[in-house]
């Protein structure tokens, strides 16, 4: 019997909140890299951030569900939210490798700014053996910092880059707009916008 290897995109992010830049990134990665599906994974407890500044995980997961529901290739996993302790990408990728019993090529998709710090991530060498990375850049992003980083060449060869003009939208800007009473319409699906206002998120 021929074993079918799936190509799986894991879309990692805090999604605080999710916006159209994230959705365009995931769809672009899906098509460019012929992925069978993209699984959005809102971070539970990011190792590099103070919890105070981040909306509750259940709100971020709900917004991610609302944002992705209309795309048949998009799914949401709560694996990082349900796992106690810090959300390490190594643990997440290992989880999906086991889930697919080694029959999946895994592409971890995230922002290039996050990839810049990857050298400090847990088990980074083994992580590069388990998956490739797709780093989404905002227009004008300078890749030289990643290219000149201390990562071994074999790891650098497993990072692919995608410039995403829609990443001119950022979660930071969305939160600032809400605090300042400025519009967020059209920066995210309307269901996410409604959810934010209904739950009074990001007002301070
Ligand atoms: P971040 O520092 O909040 O974001 C870095 C930049 O990347 C921001 O400009 C952000 O824009 C953008 N970004 C984040 N996720 C993106 C995505 N999926 N697609 C496009 N742009 C994205 O990074 P983060 O969200 O906390 O972390 C990103 C991923 O790296 C998460 O899955 C996290 O768990 C993982 N990570 C793992 C470790 C570890 O294992 N030790 C350490 C750090 C991060 P927006 O603010 O607009 O999203």
């Amino acid at each position: 019997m021929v074993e079918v290897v799936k190509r799986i995109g894991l879309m990692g992010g805090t999604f605080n909140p999710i916006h159209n830049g994230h959705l365009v990134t995931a769809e672009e990665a899906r098509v460019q890299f012929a992925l069978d599906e993209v699984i959005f994974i809102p971070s539970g407890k990011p190792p590099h951030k103070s919890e105070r500044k981040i909306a509750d995980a259940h709100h971020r997961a709900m917004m991610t569900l609302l944002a992705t529901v209309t795309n048949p290739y998009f799914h949401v996993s709560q694996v990082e939210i349900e796992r106690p302790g810090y959300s390490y990408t190594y643990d997440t990728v290992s989880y999906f490798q086991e889930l697919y019993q080694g029959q999946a090529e895994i592409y971890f998709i995230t922002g290039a700014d996050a990839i810049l710090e990857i050298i400090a991530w847990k088990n980074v060498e083994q992580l590069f053996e388990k998956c490739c990375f797709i780093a989404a850049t905002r227009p004008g992003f300078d890749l030289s910092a990643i290219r000149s980083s201390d990562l071994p060449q074999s790891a650098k060869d497993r990072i692919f880059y995608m410039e995403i003009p829609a990443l001119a939208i950022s979660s930071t800007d969305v939160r600032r707009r809400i605090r300042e009473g400025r519009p967020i319409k059209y920066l995210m699906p309307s269901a996410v916008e409604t959810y934010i206002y209904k739950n009074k998120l990001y007002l301070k």
Side-chain angles (χ1 to χ4, degrees), residues 11-14 19 22 43 48-49 89 110-111 113 121 138 170-171:
M11 176 76 170
T14 308
H19 53 66
H22 297 131
S43 301
H48 58 308
K49 288 185 179 170
T89 300
T110 196
D113 292 339
W121 290 13
R138 300 197 147 91
S170 77
S171 299

Side-chain angles (χ1 to χ4, degrees), residues 10-17 19 21-23 25-26 40-49 54 80 87-92 108-115 117-118 120-122 127 134-138 164 167 169-173 175:
L10 301 181
M11 176 76 170
T14 308
F15 304 130
N16 187 38
H19 53 66
H22 297 131
L23 298 169
T25 300
F40 286 65
I41 307 169
S43 301
K45 197 172 170 207
H48 58 308
K49 288 185 179 170
I54 306 174
E80 290 197 354
S87 304
Y88 293 112
T89 300
Y90 175 81
D91 298 337
T92 303
F108 192 85
I109 311 160
T110 196
D113 292 339
I115 300 284
E117 310 292 327
I118 204 166
W121 290 13
K122 178 180 164 184
L127 183 58
I134 301 174
T137 66
R138 300 197 147 91
I164 305 291
L167 280 178
I169 304 170
S170 77
S171 299
T172 307
D173 181 55
R175 295 195 302 272

Side-chain angles (χ1 to χ4, degrees), residues 17-123:
I18 193 161
H19 53 66
N20 287 343
H22 297 131
L23 298 169
V24 171
T25 300
E27 183 64 2
E28 188 62 32
R30 182 183 76 76
V31 173
Q32 266 193 41
F33 292 83
L35 304 175
D36 292 296
E37 57 182 311
V38 178
I39 304 171
F40 286 65
I41 307 169
S43 301
K45 197 172 170 207
H48 58 308
K49 288 185 179 170
S50 79
E51 275 174 83
R52 227 164 29 93
K53 294 191 188 143
I54 306 174
D56 275 0
H58 79 274
H59 283 316
R60 291 182 290 108
M62 190 56 80
M63 289 187 280
T64 306
L65 270 171
L66 290 170
T68 53
V69 76
T70 55
N71 187 322
Y73 298 101
F74 288 178
H75 304 281
V76 179
S77 165
Q78 306 226 27
V79 64
E80 290 197 354
I81 289 173
E82 287 165 2
R83 194 168 60 218
Y86 286 117
S87 304
Y88 293 112
T89 300
Y90 175 81
D91 298 337
T92 303
V93 171
S94 302
Y95 167 85
F96 280 99
Q97 258 196 337
E98 270 176 44
L99 192 71
Y100 288 98
Q101 300 179 328
Q103 296 306 301
E105 276 175 26
I106 295 181
Y107 290 79
F108 192 85
I109 311 160
T110 196
D113 292 339
I115 300 284
L116 257 178
E117 310 292 327
I118 204 166
I119 195 101
W121 290 13
K122 178 180 164 184
N123 298 350

